[in-house]
Amino acid sequence: MADNSTLVSETGRSLLADSSVLDSKIIETSKENVFRATILDVEEEMPQIETRVALVQEAGKREELLKALEEIKTPYIKTDTIEELGDSDSPEFETIFVVPDFQAPIFSNLCKADCRVIGPPVVLHCAQRGEPLPFSSRPLYCASMLNLVLCFTGFRKKDELVKLVTLVHHMGGIIRRDFSSKVTHLVANSTHGDKFRIAVSLGIPIVKAEWIYKAWEKRNEIDFCAADDDFRNQFKVPPFQDCMLSFLGFSDDEKANMEEMTEMQGGHYLPVGDERCTHLVVEESTVKDLPFEPLKKLYVVKQEWFWGSIQMDARAGESMYLFEKSESPDFKKSVSLLSLNTPNSNRKRRRLKETLAQLTRETDVSPFPPRKRPSAEHSLSIGSLLDISNTPESSTANGETPKSCARPSKNSTPLPLKQSARWQVAKELYQTESNYVDILTTIIQLFQVPLEKEGQLGGPILAQEEIKTIFGSIPDILDVHTKIKEDLEDLMINWTESRSIGDIILKYSKDLLKTYPPFVNFFEMSKETITRCEKQKPRFHAFLKINQAKPECGRQSLAELLIRPVQRLPSVALLLNDIKKHTAEENPDKITLERAIESLKEVMTHINEDKRKTEAQRQFFDVVYEVDGCPANLLSSHRSLVQRLETVALGDDICDRGEQVTLFLFNDCLEIARKRHKVIGVFKSPHGHTRPPASLKHVVLMPLSQIKKVLDIRETEDCQKAFALVVRPPTELNNKLLSFQMTTEDPRKEDWLKMLCRHVANTICKADAENLIYVVDPDSVEVNTKDMDSTLSRASRAIKKTSKKVTRAFSFSKTPKRALHRALMSHSATEGRSPSSSNQSYIGSRLTSTSSLAGVPSPSLVSLPSIFERRSHTLSRSTTHLI
């Protein structure tokens, strides 16, 4: 039973009858409030009826209800039973009962007495909006479904339907028995029936019954609305609910993908031939006939039905996608013999011969032969795509587009008596330009326009920001090349050897320079967006599958089509070179072609340079997003990221020993960040983009001018891949030693130190960058990496972190480390031991830190004002040359 019959509750009301008549009383009541001034004379003759609210039982104890009624200036009384209100039937009062529990016995008694009953959320809702209490002939607990019109289909159990309808009325919804354009939501228990089909065609949201139950659970939330998209989408009816699918004629990978998508969309899949199967999805290009006679209840549909259902987010009608069997060979043979033996067979043969001859002549000026489907091994990286010496499009065999993508021009190119080599290459330039324009038109008409279309069934497939990222400046590029194609077409129609081809390219060189960089620079981002959306959004994946199967695309994916603009300019440059080779020296176009080629090279050089700047800006923002608390002054137009290095801290100064530290080397500063101990939630933009949480925590942004020495620590058994930086912050009197251990093989330590010293020297305007590197023994700077990866070391670091947290939690005066350090220094000075004398008596002595209070020496703060002055003869200076 697809539709519902009229159900009657205990009170004798029809639950599925149109409730619009009853709900119209609300509108009439509001009109009385608006036009009260126009009926004063009538009111003087009629007795005044005062509206009052009776707060029943627990409702009278809620302060927010009392305050809300005072705000809307409605008198109220408190009562525990109906009997306490002796004048409840008095014509002088219109009593509205506020009942907190619609399951309590007093609620049933009020309903039997035909009293007006509302819930506390209705009072709070009206007070929040400054509206009077609504008139409702039914009990109204909340306004979660106010103004929603619901229709039901597929429910067979009467008790379940009665419960659902009652809950909808309690939340302010309206029920329609028959489906109409006024219905806002269809509650479906089955995907069969006329109501379901109409809802799909009109784009009406189709939800499960669980949507009503979950909305009722949120009935006490004042601002909750059941029609909210995020909430409603959790309970939408999936496209393949109640469907058992089988797949015929697909490859193993395609079949596995479609089976996975079937389960994601609420369906199940079965092997071909299973009698429980409801739909057999056929690959029409490979399957010409079915291996068995299908049952009458089985839908045999094309794969477009499968992907179309996912794209619409609802099961599509099968009648439009039924698979038709091809004619049998015997039938074709009989028809062929019959046609050859007819009296008109000679005339047909002659007509066929003329047609073939015409097609042969048209082949000379037709676009390239059909392009073979690109293999999977072709990469879409654009690292070398702008190199004009390495472009596959210069070959005629590779073609610009499948033949199916080409459209005939409005004018046919005349065929000269003698085809010169210059004409042949010019014709090739025109043909490839025509095919290229067709490809851009296909991208826009087949992909971009449908995605931007408003009123899509199931809502927008992609956000507008994602569409803009994918397609970029494709429309602008199409406009420029359409003009170039028209000029080339006019040149070929009125061909002479003196006609200039270079002038056409020079005419639009500025337009090419304006339109191409925005697309080429963000092509990688466009490709990444396509890949991400295809994985995360099944509807977009289905949309791509449907269009890829169309002949206009030549079975090429959107990413394969979008790479054509990246390859086009190098291809044009190669063709212009060929035309120049076949152009006579005395031809004026010879010089013009050289200028056109140079202009294209300038455009491609500008694209490369602009792309490099864009990539640098992207790297900047990647660092800002990855490092929590990253200073805003890191972003600068003159700054560029040079190298990223993963290390482990060997000291306790900037962070704990053994903590993972990332160094970002810029051309004038060094950003030091540590790994976060707690990762914050994922950021979600208004356009639906998700950004991974920041994995690093900012420690310090250090100008390279603060680095005084770079220490290359010798490799020993106890010290591997370690280095140190001697720095002097502007707020410190003495140098600090920051030591690290590299955790990656690339780059090599020697290369990293040379690179760092080169940029330090550039910052402080020194030419001898190699003088900044010093080779030292691990013992001289008290650095050891032997126990960094041991279990005992990790446990010690964990205990140390916990101890610090406990110390901070129970500390009443959180004295800064620097203040404590100064205090200890001043204390030692009063005893006649200055820091300088201490350093002279004991080279390499450590400054007193908080850890020394516990009697534990720490290598984190090493005072180095004179290590390199008094013991410089012990340090072997590196003499290696900088890169």
Side-chain angles (χ1 to χ4, degrees):
M1 183 177 68
D3 296 333
N4 304 299
S5 58
T6 303
L7 300 177
V8 181
S9 64
E10 296 177 357
T11 59
R13 293 176 181 169
S14 174
L15 293 175
L16 284 183
D18 288 350
S19 54
S20 56
V21 177
L22 299 174
D23 294 309
S24 63
K25 295 181 180 180
I26 303 176
I27 302 175
E28 294 174 0
T29 304
S30 61
K31 288 181 179 179
E32 291 176 4
N33 296 329
V34 177
F35 301 104
R36 187 177 302 275
T38 61
I39 54 174
L40 291 176
D41 297 337
V42 180
E43 287 185 347
E44 290 177 357
E45 298 176 1
M46 297 178 61
Q48 297 291 331
I49 299 178
E50 182 180 358
T51 300
R52 66 177 180 181
V53 173
L55 300 174
V56 180
Q57 296 178 350
E58 297 296 327
K61 301 178 182 179
R62 297 176 57 176
E63 294 295 334
E64 66 271 19
L65 287 179
L66 304 180
K67 184 178 179 181
L69 290 172
E70 292 175 357
E71 291 179 358
I72 58 178
K73 299 179 181 180
T74 302
Y76 62 88
I77 57 175
K78 302 178 183 179
T79 181
D80 291 332
T81 60
I82 304 178
E83 289 77 11
E84 294 182 5
L85 296 177
D87 56 351
S88 60
D89 296 332
S90 173
E92 299 179 0
F93 296 101
E94 174 68 23
T95 305
I96 303 176
F97 294 87
V98 179
V99 180
D101 184 10
F102 275 24
Q103 302 295 327
I106 193 172
F107 171 76
S108 301
N109 296 333
L110 290 172
C111 291
K112 292 178 180 179
D114 201 19
C115 298
R116 291 178 59 186
V117 182
I118 62 174
V122 174
V123 179
L124 300 176
H125 174 85
C126 294
Q128 189 180 60
R129 289 161 176 77
E131 301 173 353
L133 296 178
F135 175 86
S136 177
S137 60
R138 298 189 182 91
L140 181 65
Y141 186 85
C142 63
S144 301
M145 290 190 176
L146 197 64
N147 299 325
L148 300 187
V149 182
L150 277 63
C151 187
F152 291 83
T153 183
F155 290 88
R156 297 178 179 273
K157 297 181 180 179
K158 179 179 177 180
D159 295 339
E160 180 184 10
L161 187 59
V162 169
K163 183 177 181 180
L164 290 171
V165 171
T166 302
L167 293 180
V168 171
H169 285 154
H170 288 349
M171 291 185 284
I174 302 172
I175 304 298
R176 295 272 185 173
R177 178 183 179 185
D178 298 325
F179 196 92
S180 66
S181 59
K182 295 183 179 180
V183 173
T184 60
H185 295 76
L186 177 67
V187 184
N189 197 37
S190 173
T191 58
H192 305 286
D194 295 336
K195 292 182 179 180
F196 185 88
R197 290 283 166 237
I198 297 174
V200 171
S201 62
L202 295 178
I204 302 298
I206 305 173
V207 294
K208 304 176 184 177
E210 188 181 3
W211 173 61
I212 298 176
Y213 291 128
K214 291 296 182 180
W216 179 248
E217 292 178 4
K218 294 176 174 289
R219 60 187 179 276
N220 291 316
E221 299 180 15
I222 307 302
D223 297 325
F224 169 72
C225 178
D228 181 72
D229 291 340
D230 293 336
F231 175 76
R232 186 198 65 211
N233 289 338
Q234 302 176 28
F235 311 101
K236 64 181 181 181
V237 175
F240 300 136
Q241 179 173 305
D242 305 330
C243 295
M244 300 286 185
L245 275 60
S246 296
F247 302 95
L248 180 63
F250 299 93
S251 64
D252 293 340
D253 293 339
E254 290 177 325
K255 183 178 179 182
N257 180 31
M258 297 176 80
E259 289 175 349
E260 182 182 357
M261 296 293 293
T262 299
E263 292 189 334
M264 288 177 57
Q265 301 299 324
H268 302 279
Y269 61 89
L270 298 170
V272 176
D274 195 306
E275 294 183 355
R276 296 173 295 171
C277 181
T278 60
H279 294 77
L280 176 62
V281 184
V282 177
E283 169 57 272
E284 59 273 16
S285 62
T286 59
V287 176
K288 302 304 179 185
D289 200 0
L290 300 179
F292 61 92
E293 187 64 28
L295 301 176
K296 291 184 178 180
K297 66 176 183 178
L298 178 65
Y299 289 107
V300 183
V301 293
K302 305 175 184 178
Q303 65 166 329
E304 190 176 356
W305 170 85
F306 178 84
W307 298 115
S309 299
I310 299 177
Q311 179 184 332
M312 291 192 305
D313 207 16
R315 202 182 87 191
E318 292 82 0
S319 59
M320 298 176 58
Y321 304 96
L322 293 178
F323 174 76
E324 298 178 358
K325 298 181 181 180
S326 60
E327 297 176 350
S328 63
D330 296 337
F331 178 76
K332 287 184 176 180
K333 183 177 180 180
S334 62
V335 173
S336 178
L337 293 176
L338 180 62
S339 62
L340 291 177
N341 292 328
T342 57
N344 295 328
S345 60
N346 293 331
R347 187 177 6 174
K348 291 184 178 180
R349 288 196 191 99
R350 186 168 57 252
R351 187 182 305 164
L352 177 61
K353 185 176 181 179
E354 293 174 355
T355 303
L356 291 175
Q358 182 181 358
L359 291 175
T360 303
R361 289 194 301 270
E362 290 178 354
T363 304
D364 295 335
V365 293
S366 64
F368 290 144
R371 179 183 182 272
K372 294 182 180 179
R373 188 175 184 180
S375 61
E377 63 185 9
H378 288 173
S379 173
L380 294 183
S381 175
I382 63 171
S384 61
L385 291 177
L386 297 180
D387 183 6
I388 63 174
S389 62
N390 186 26
T391 305
E393 283 191 282
S394 59
S395 174
T396 304
N398 287 339
E400 281 276 347
T401 183
K403 189 174 182 179
S404 57
C405 289
R407 299 183 179 92
S409 60
K410 56 185 178 181
N411 298 318
S412 59
T413 306
L415 189 65
L417 298 177
K418 293 183 178 180
Q419 300 177 7
S420 64
R422 174 179 162 85
W423 184 91
Q424 290 283 359
V425 184
K427 182 193 69 173
E428 183 179 344
L429 175 62
Y430 164 70
Q431 289 173 346
T432 56
E433 187 70 19
S434 178
N435 295 341
Y436 178 58
V437 169
D438 289 338
I439 287 179
L440 296 181
T441 304
T442 298
I443 292 174
I444 293 176
Q445 297 298 330
L446 212 59
F447 293 94
Q448 185 176 2
V449 172
L451 288 174
E452 293 178 342
K453 183 180 179 181
E454 297 182 359
Q456 301 176 34
L457 292 178
I461 297 177
L462 293 181
Q464 287 297 324
E465 196 69 22
E466 293 170 332
I467 298 174
K468 188 180 299 183
T469 302
I470 291 174
F471 297 99
S473 59
I474 287 288
D476 298 330
I477 295 176
L478 174 60
D479 291 340
V480 176
H481 281 275
T482 301
K483 298 175 183 178
I484 295 176
K485 173 195 169 184
E486 292 174 353
D487 289 355
L488 289 174
E489 186 174 8
D490 178 72
L491 181 141
M492 297 304 296
I493 293 174
N494 305 292
W495 173 261
T496 60
E497 290 294 328
S498 61
R499 291 291 299 271
S500 177
I501 301 174
D503 284 338
I504 298 176
I505 304 301
L506 290 174
K507 179 181 177 181
Y508 299 101
S509 59
K510 292 183 179 179
D511 295 330
L512 297 175
L513 183 62
K514 181 181 179 181
T515 57
Y516 268 90
F519 179 81
V520 177
N521 293 340
F522 293 96
F523 173 72
E524 292 293 338
M525 185 183 296
S526 173
K527 190 176 65 174
E528 293 170 2
T529 304
I530 293 174
T531 303
R532 173 177 55 81
C533 292
E534 194 172 2
K535 290 181 179 179
Q536 297 178 356
K537 301 184 178 183
R539 294 181 61 206
F540 181 63
H541 177 71
F543 174 79
L544 295 181
K545 285 289 186 180
I546 293 173
N547 289 319
Q548 183 176 339
K550 294 181 179 179
E552 296 94 323
C553 291
R555 302 188 66 84
Q556 294 183 80
S557 65
L558 177 59
E560 290 172 332
L561 294 175
L562 285 174
I563 201 175
R564 297 306 182 87
V566 180
Q567 298 172 333
R568 182 56 188 164
L569 293 185
S571 175
V572 173
L574 287 175
L575 289 172
L576 291 180
N577 271 316
D578 288 343
I579 295 175
K580 189 183 75 169
K581 290 177 183 179
H582 297 94
T583 302
E585 292 294 336
E586 62 275 8
N587 194 326
D589 197 30
K590 185 86 169 182
I591 300 176
T592 309
L593 284 170
E594 292 178 355
R595 291 171 53 201
I597 294 171
E598 288 300 322
S599 69
L600 283 181
K601 289 182 179 179
E602 290 177 4
V603 172
M604 290 184 284
T605 302
H606 179 81
I607 291 174
N608 284 331
E609 182 65 22
D610 203 33
K611 182 178 183 299
R612 186 188 63 80
K613 293 179 181 179
T614 303
E615 289 297 327
Q617 292 174 355
R618 284 192 61 188
Q619 290 176 350
F620 259 117
F621 285 105
D622 289 342
V623 173
V624 172
Y625 292 145
E626 187 177 5
V627 179
D628 182 32
C630 185
N633 59 357
L634 177 65
L635 297 174
S636 178
S637 59
H638 72 278
R639 186 167 293 146
S640 60
L641 179 64
V642 179
Q643 185 69 53
R644 172 182 178 148
L645 185 69
E646 302 294 338
T647 67
V648 173
L650 300 180
D652 292 329
D653 192 9
I654 57 174
C655 51
D656 296 332
R657 173 178 168 82
E659 196 164 12
Q660 297 181 19
V661 177
T662 302
L663 306 180
F664 295 96
L665 175 61
F666 295 88
N667 59 324
D668 63 342
C669 63
L670 182 68
E671 166 67 18
I672 303 177
R674 63 171 176 83
K675 186 178 180 181
R676 288 184 64 94
H677 303 307
K678 293 182 180 179
V679 179
I680 59 178
V682 176
F683 170 80
K684 186 172 182 180
S685 71
H687 303 291
H689 295 167
T690 56
R691 185 186 303 151
S695 59
L696 302 175
K697 179 71 175 178
H698 168 73
V699 176
V700 63
L701 179 62
M702 180 188 304
L704 295 183
S705 58
Q706 295 182 10
I707 300 178
K708 306 305 179 183
K709 294 287 189 298
V710 177
L711 305 185
D712 183 3
I713 302 176
R714 284 195 179 95
E715 300 291 319
T716 63
E717 185 179 354
D718 295 338
C719 188
Q720 300 288 330
K721 301 171 64 175
F723 69 94
L725 305 177
V726 179
V727 301
R728 179 178 291 178
T731 57
E732 298 290 339
L733 298 177
N734 298 319
N735 293 333
K736 284 188 176 183
L737 182 69
L738 309 180
S739 53
F740 306 93
Q741 180 189 20
M742 299 174 62
T743 58
T744 57
E745 298 295 333
D746 186 34
R748 295 184 307 130
K749 185 176 76 169
E750 180 182 0
D751 297 337
W752 158 255
L753 296 180
K754 289 181 180 180
M755 185 188 308
L756 175 61
C757 289
R758 184 173 74 248
H759 288 284
V760 172
N762 292 338
T763 304
I764 61 178
C765 299
K766 277 191 175 183
D768 52 344
E770 65 274 5
N771 293 332
L772 295 172
I773 302 180
Y774 289 81
V775 180
V776 299
D777 294 324
D779 296 337
S780 64
V781 289
E782 300 183 7
V783 172
N784 190 341
T785 64
K786 185 177 181 180
D787 62 338
M788 293 307 298
D789 296 328
S790 64
T791 305
L792 181 61
S793 176
R794 290 193 294 269
S796 175
R797 293 196 295 269
I799 294 174
K800 191 173 182 180
K801 291 177 184 177
T802 305
S803 176
K804 284 186 176 182
K805 292 179 181 179
V806 174
T807 302
R808 287 195 296 265
F810 289 95
S811 175
F812 293 97
S813 60
K814 296 180 174 58
T815 307
K817 182 178 180 180
R818 187 175 299 164
L820 182 61
H821 173 72
R822 291 174 180 170
L824 291 173
M825 293 292 291
S826 62
H827 175 71
S828 63
T830 58
E831 295 181 359
R833 292 176 296 168
S834 64
S836 59
S837 62
S838 174
N839 291 331
Q840 293 175 358
S841 62
Y842 176 63
I843 300 175
S845 62
R846 298 174 298 274
L847 296 175
T848 308
S849 63
T850 54
S851 60
S852 65
L853 297 178
V856 181
S858 172
S860 59
L861 295 174
V862 180
S863 180
L864 298 173
S866 58
I867 280 184
F868 302 102
E869 298 175 3
R870 299 177 60 93
R871 305 188 70 181
S872 60
H873 62 278
T874 63
L875 303 176
S876 58
R877 181 170 298 176
S878 173
T879 59
T880 55
H881 296 285
L882 296 179
I883 298 176

